[in-house]
């Protein structure tokens, strides 16, 4: 029943940038580690990035390390994913996730979360 809402997806050329945002209910956001996943057509969902409740810990999947940055804003109950130097292989549906355990490794290694958004499409052309 908890609703997460993503925005910011779109179509960009390789080398371009996008900034995704995900808004969560205040009660959920204030008790949750947050993360992002993506899924390309015909492929399994894969982890992208996670951030702890305190924002003092972050964890990134190897393909996006150094290009993507995850952050959170407690005043806005929003988690962001800044994506730079985008590549065609970054194409997919991006999903926001919330886990009330407050552990980036539960999200990043376990691939699990308590709540999920509907997804926002990111397409990168070559």
């Amino acid at each position: 029943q908890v609703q997460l809402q993503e925005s910011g997806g779109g179509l960009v050329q390789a080398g371009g940038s996008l900034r995704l945002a995900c808004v969560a209910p205040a009660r959920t956001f204030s008790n949750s580690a947050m993360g992002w996943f993506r899924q390309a057509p015909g492929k399994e969902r894969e982890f992208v990035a996670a951030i702890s409740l305190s924002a003092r810990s972050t964890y990134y999947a190897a393909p996006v390390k150094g290009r993507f940055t995850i952050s959170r804003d407690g005043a806005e109950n929003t988690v962001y994913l800044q994506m730079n130097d985008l590549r065609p292989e970054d194409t997919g549906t991006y999903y926001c996730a919330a886990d009330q355990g407050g552990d980036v490794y539960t999200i990043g290694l376990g691939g699990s979360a308590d709540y999920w958004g509907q997804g926002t499409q990111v397409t990168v052309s070559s």
Side-chain angles (χ1 to χ4, degrees):
Q1 188 173 339
V2 174
Q3 199 80 27
L4 307 181
Q5 186 170 8
E6 305 100 330
S7 62
L11 173 64
V12 297
Q13 299 290 321
S17 297
L18 286 173
R19 191 189 193 202
L20 307 184
C22 170
V23 181
R27 174 170 264 101
T28 299
F29 189 85
S30 66
N31 289 280
S32 301
M34 304 293 294
W36 290 92
F37 292 77
R38 67 188 182 189
Q39 187 170 24
K43 297 184 178 180
E44 294 183 353
R45 182 194 67 195
E46 65 174 342
F47 166 74
V48 176
I51 187 167
S52 67
L53 177 61
S54 68
R56 289 190 281 186
S57 296
T58 58
Y59 184 59
Y60 297 91
V64 309
K65 198 170 299 181
R67 299 188 296 121
F68 291 11
T69 302
I70 188 170
S71 61
R72 62 192 294 161
D73 184 339
E76 300 293 332
N77 299 314
T78 301
V79 61
Y80 299 95
L81 186 68
Q82 177 66 47
M83 305 186 293
N84 297 327
D85 191 25
L86 283 162
R87 303 164 181 172
E89 52 264 43
D90 294 319
T91 292
T93 303
Y94 282 68
Y95 298 93
C96 178
D99 192 282
Q100 294 182 278
D103 188 338
V104 299
Y105 301 109
T106 300
I107 298 174
L109 298 179
S112 65
D114 296 315
Y115 306 105
W116 299 85
Q118 294 293 308
T120 184
Q121 180 67 38
V122 171
T123 303
V124 185
S125 61
S126 60

